[in-house]
Amino acid sequence: MKDAAPQPVRLSEYTPFPFVVEQVDLRFTLAGAETRVHSKIRFAPNPAAERAGEIFLHGKELELISARIDGAEVSPVITARGLTCPVPSGAFTWEAEVRIDPTTNTSLDGLYTSGGMYCTQCEAEGFRKITFYPDRPDVMAPFRVQIDSDMPVRLSNGNMVEEGVWDDPWPKPAYLFALVAGDLRNFPGEFKTMSGKDVELNIWVRPGDEARAEYAMDALKRSMAWDEEVYGREYDLQIFNIVAVDDFNMGAMENKGLNIFNSKYVLASPETATDTDYDFIEGIIAHEYFHNWTGNRITCRDWFQLCLKEGLTVFRDQQFSSDMRGAAVKRITEVMQLRARQFREDQGPLAHPVRPEEYIEINNFYTATVYEKGAEVIHMLKALVGDEGYAKALDLYFERHDGDAATIEDWLKVFEDATGRDLSQFSRWYSQAGTPRLTVEEHFKDGTLTLDFKQETKPTPGQAQKQPQVIPIAVGLIGPNGNEVAETRVLEMNKSEQSFEFTGLSAMPVASILRNFSAPVVLDRKLDIASRAFLLAHDTDPFNRWEAGRVLGKEVLTQMITEGAAPAPDLLTGLSRVVADDSLEPAYRALMLGLPSEDDLAQTLFDSGHVPDPAAIHAARDALQDAMAAEMEPILASLYEQMETPAPYSPDAEAAGKRSLRGACLGLLSRRDGCARAKALFEAADNMTEELAALAVLIRHGQGEAAVQAFYDKWRHDRLVMDKWFMLQVVQSSPETMAETVKSLTEHADFDWKNPNRFRSVLGGMQANPAGFHRADGAAYRLYADWLLKLDPVNPQTTARMTTAFETWARYDADRQQMMREQLERIAALPGLSENTGEMVGRILG
Ligand code: BES
Ligand code: ZN
């Protein structure tokens, strides 16, 4: 018999839980397949809800051994979702014992084992796989946990009462529960909080990895200090533990007092980690730490409010990284990522609001829209109310909602109350999906510049009509001699069409519009090549200066693809000047040398009425890079020498910036020097950033065979480095043979496909090679789908996330569309397909 179609959960149907939980006591007996969980939970009627004569507790894949209410045995009705049991009218104590098997839990959700250690992942709904419980974020309770096990290290949330016994005084939802037990070593540290309390810090790793936790520890201390300085938020327990685990579906998790990390975002040494790895470690350590206030002390009422904690915490980690590493470079990389992930999502069948209104599987809604657009919405809010208004609103938020499970309405209300602003129209950013397209026309007459703006958002699934949104548009003006004649002013657009004037100008300026990317919109502006080149040379807003080069690059590439045009000289000379300008930071100049991605170009072509040809896009980018290399060879060659960083390696932003410019130069120079520099660098490099940059170039130019083998021999025992080895071969493979490369890598003895990092390295690598993925014969589509079919029964969460490789099918020609749909339908037809993947595939097919 076929299962009933899964029913969506709806925001409009929220009701409070009829009980409050006063105390949770858990006792774990960790014994492999015979693991037992004993729970004792004190319930009382919830005064804010209707009285109930029975209780429903979530539970999944649990074997109930015994259940008691106030000491008397009970026999609840058990289904696949949980249990229901009659209860007394007042407060009562529920006691249960269940058996679970962490050793066969390959979903990495709930309690599982990884490399001999026990660990948990409970967000969003994993706690119900540990014991029967009201597994919803608005049920908050203090937890006490006892871990019986022969493992030397036993950890849970809160403060340690005695060996293996933990007490967390702060009421928390079950999704923040965590437990770890294993043979682990710690990298210790300490922190004195602003009120003078000492906090013990530990980063727990596998034996032998201790030395690689130093940078993460340093990032943690800086995060703690930053949150005190900038937000006035102090840590609230005596101890803070971080554990690194090799098998993990996500990046990291903010469990109260016990963050659990994918080892890739903790462990780093100069020889094994790249500058990008260091950057991510810093940002993710900060992110999870910042959740202690934005997520844990104030949590979400229900999962529709996910952006309340994730959007805000991303915004906070972005502010932190910006303070640590430089605002301009950070903003540019944020926007590149937003466009690559969130705009892509918003333009396709998976488009949804920052606060979705229904879901089948909540794990499918940890999306770029919730996270990154969620952060952009706060960025706009801050621009609209000003820095002081923002600080006041945040203080009020922490004061008013500490200990609450809150909503987006609560969040917006603190801004209204703190600043007196009406945010009813602004709130559409949370409910309306899609990326607004902002069109602008410019007129200059009698010393007045008029900007006529129009905003339009295309229909998205389930939302045919769109209302105008509040769009903060930061604008500055550059005079003919290249000086700024009007400083940045934030125009507030709130109608479909609206004009703004700049008066008293002595000559026609060039407007710099949407400075620092003041709103997550697509700006549609007809501007001649000369004016773009002018902004590239003179814009005083570093983001828009970069953007001018990027738009120019996109226009040039579009003309090359659609008209067979030659690379425009304005772009080449404009870029050379910026790249040679020593007054600009190296990291910024490196970004200038980057071109719009193949995926971005495919979407741009589609938006302008063309059918993108992935091979032609790839060829055009190649041709433009050849032209850049030819035009700039002398500058690149001298920069390559100048940007050499002295040993010993340091991961700081300045040194990393030099290496990124050097790497960009290397990439282009290899088109001229037969890879001579890359070969030399591969031999000489004493750090992973340069070793990998050199290897990438060699593979890309078909000269990587020996280096690939040498790299393998050197690093075969290091899992994190081997992930890079696998990925690079896929990403840098020539598009024609990528599918074959992937096939042979999946047959490699080290391809441990049940490990999410390894799986993502190879299969996820395919997405980073669009011309290879979209190969005309569909071989890559088939291969990709084969592997999703194989992974789904083992790890539905990771499978479901990876279906997004197909979310852009509607952009392409009829043949490709049909081939992609065929693969999606094949996946949909898998008997026993997970709800996770089923929901995604269904939405992508539309
Ligand atoms: N709360 C999430 C982890 C999570 C995500 C749990 C999805 C369950 C389902 C955590 O705070 C997070 O957002 N992690 C990100 C990294 C972060 C820096 C954006 C991740 O894991 O990708
Ligand atoms: Zn988060």
mmCIF file of all heavy atoms in Angstrom, residues 123 252 254 287-288 291 309-310 313-314 371, ligand 2:
data_model
loop_
_atom_site.group_PDB
_atom_site.id
_atom_site.type_symbol
_atom_site.label_atom_id
_atom_site.label_comp_id
_atom_site.label_asym_id
_atom_site.label_seq_id
_atom_site.Cartn_x
_atom_site.Cartn_y
_atom_site.Cartn_z
ATOM 1 N N GLU A 123 18.709 19.762 15.643
ATOM 2 C CA GLU A 123 17.950 20.700 14.823
ATOM 3 C C GLU A 123 17.746 20.067 13.455
ATOM 4 O O GLU A 123 18.709 19.503 12.909
ATOM 5 C CB GLU A 123 18.702 22.025 14.671
ATOM 6 C CG GLU A 123 17.829 23.066 13.997
ATOM 7 C CD GLU A 123 18.513 24.436 13.844
ATOM 8 O OE1 GLU A 123 19.677 24.587 14.247
ATOM 9 O OE2 GLU A 123 17.862 25.330 13.324
ATOM 10 N N ALA A 252 27.871 23.475 10.945
ATOM 11 C CA ALA A 252 28.039 23.462 12.390
ATOM 12 C C ALA A 252 26.702 23.725 13.064
ATOM 13 O O ALA A 252 25.752 24.154 12.411
ATOM 14 C CB ALA A 252 29.043 24.526 12.818
ATOM 15 N N GLU A 254 24.699 25.101 16.851
ATOM 16 C CA GLU A 254 24.852 25.977 18.017
ATOM 17 C C GLU A 254 24.315 25.423 19.331
ATOM 18 O O GLU A 254 23.995 26.210 20.241
ATOM 19 C CB GLU A 254 24.131 27.300 17.721
ATOM 20 C CG GLU A 254 22.586 27.231 17.711
ATOM 21 C CD GLU A 254 21.962 27.045 16.335
ATOM 22 O OE1 GLU A 254 22.630 26.480 15.441
ATOM 23 O OE2 GLU A 254 20.796 27.448 16.155
ATOM 24 N N HIS A 287 29.517 32.622 14.008
ATOM 25 C CA HIS A 287 28.082 32.419 13.792
ATOM 26 C C HIS A 287 27.465 31.561 14.905
ATOM 27 O O HIS A 287 26.472 31.952 15.523
ATOM 28 C CB HIS A 287 27.884 31.768 12.415
ATOM 29 C CG HIS A 287 26.462 31.453 12.081
ATOM 30 N ND1 HIS A 287 25.672 32.287 11.315
ATOM 31 C CD2 HIS A 287 25.678 30.396 12.408
ATOM 32 C CE1 HIS A 287 24.466 31.753 11.193
ATOM 33 N NE2 HIS A 287 24.446 30.595 11.843
ATOM 34 N N GLU A 288 28.058 30.412 15.139
ATOM 35 C CA GLU A 288 27.460 29.506 16.136
ATOM 36 C C GLU A 288 27.549 30.124 17.530
ATOM 37 O O GLU A 288 26.622 29.993 18.336
ATOM 38 C CB GLU A 288 28.128 28.133 16.100
ATOM 39 C CG GLU A 288 28.133 27.445 14.728
ATOM 40 C CD GLU A 288 26.796 27.394 14.002
ATOM 41 O OE1 GLU A 288 25.746 27.493 14.663
ATOM 42 O OE2 GLU A 288 26.805 27.281 12.762
ATOM 43 N N HIS A 291 24.812 32.680 18.074
ATOM 44 C CA HIS A 291 23.495 32.093 18.311
ATOM 45 C C HIS A 291 23.177 31.999 19.809
ATOM 46 O O HIS A 291 22.007 31.874 20.182
ATOM 47 C CB HIS A 291 23.421 30.683 17.733
ATOM 48 C CG HIS A 291 22.900 30.598 16.323
ATOM 49 N ND1 HIS A 291 21.776 31.266 15.885
ATOM 50 C CD2 HIS A 291 23.340 29.885 15.251
ATOM 51 C CE1 HIS A 291 21.550 30.970 14.613
ATOM 52 N NE2 HIS A 291 22.493 30.133 14.191
ATOM 53 N N LYS A 309 16.279 33.682 13.817
ATOM 54 C CA LYS A 309 17.599 33.385 14.371
ATOM 55 C C LYS A 309 18.665 33.299 13.286
ATOM 56 O O LYS A 309 19.776 33.757 13.489
ATOM 57 C CB LYS A 309 17.574 32.112 15.237
ATOM 58 C CG LYS A 309 17.523 30.786 14.513
ATOM 59 C CD LYS A 309 17.600 29.624 15.515
ATOM 60 C CE LYS A 309 17.486 28.237 14.889
ATOM 61 N NZ LYS A 309 18.751 27.728 14.333
ATOM 62 N N GLU A 310 18.347 32.719 12.128
ATOM 63 C CA GLU A 310 19.402 32.513 11.134
ATOM 64 C C GLU A 310 19.732 33.791 10.359
ATOM 65 O O GLU A 310 20.894 34.125 10.164
ATOM 66 C CB GLU A 310 19.050 31.369 10.181
ATOM 67 C CG GLU A 310 18.964 29.992 10.851
ATOM 68 C CD GLU A 310 20.259 29.552 11.542
ATOM 69 O OE1 GLU A 310 21.318 30.178 11.321
ATOM 70 O OE2 GLU A 310 20.206 28.569 12.320
ATOM 71 N N THR A 313 21.571 36.021 12.772
ATOM 72 C CA THR A 313 22.902 35.539 13.135
ATOM 73 C C THR A 313 23.853 35.613 11.948
ATOM 74 O O THR A 313 25.036 35.923 12.118
ATOM 75 C CB THR A 313 22.813 34.134 13.755
ATOM 76 O OG1 THR A 313 21.891 34.191 14.855
ATOM 77 C CG2 THR A 313 24.158 33.662 14.264
ATOM 78 N N VAL A 314 23.361 35.387 10.753
ATOM 79 C CA VAL A 314 24.214 35.600 9.573
ATOM 80 C C VAL A 314 24.599 37.082 9.495
ATOM 81 O O VAL A 314 25.761 37.421 9.276
ATOM 82 C CB VAL A 314 23.519 35.154 8.263
ATOM 83 C CG1 VAL A 314 24.297 35.635 7.041
ATOM 84 C CG2 VAL A 314 23.366 33.634 8.231
ATOM 85 N N TYR A 371 18.468 32.362 5.019
ATOM 86 C CA TYR A 371 19.723 32.805 5.618
ATOM 87 C C TYR A 371 20.203 34.133 5.043
ATOM 88 O O TYR A 371 20.377 35.111 5.765
ATOM 89 C CB TYR A 371 20.817 31.753 5.365
ATOM 90 C CG TYR A 371 20.851 30.643 6.383
ATOM 91 C CD1 TYR A 371 19.804 29.739 6.496
ATOM 92 C CD2 TYR A 371 21.932 30.487 7.228
ATOM 93 C CE1 TYR A 371 19.846 28.706 7.429
ATOM 94 C CE2 TYR A 371 21.985 29.456 8.161
ATOM 95 C CZ TYR A 371 20.943 28.574 8.256
ATOM 96 O OH TYR A 371 20.982 27.573 9.178
HETATM 97 ZN ZN ZN B 2 22.823 29.448 12.203
#
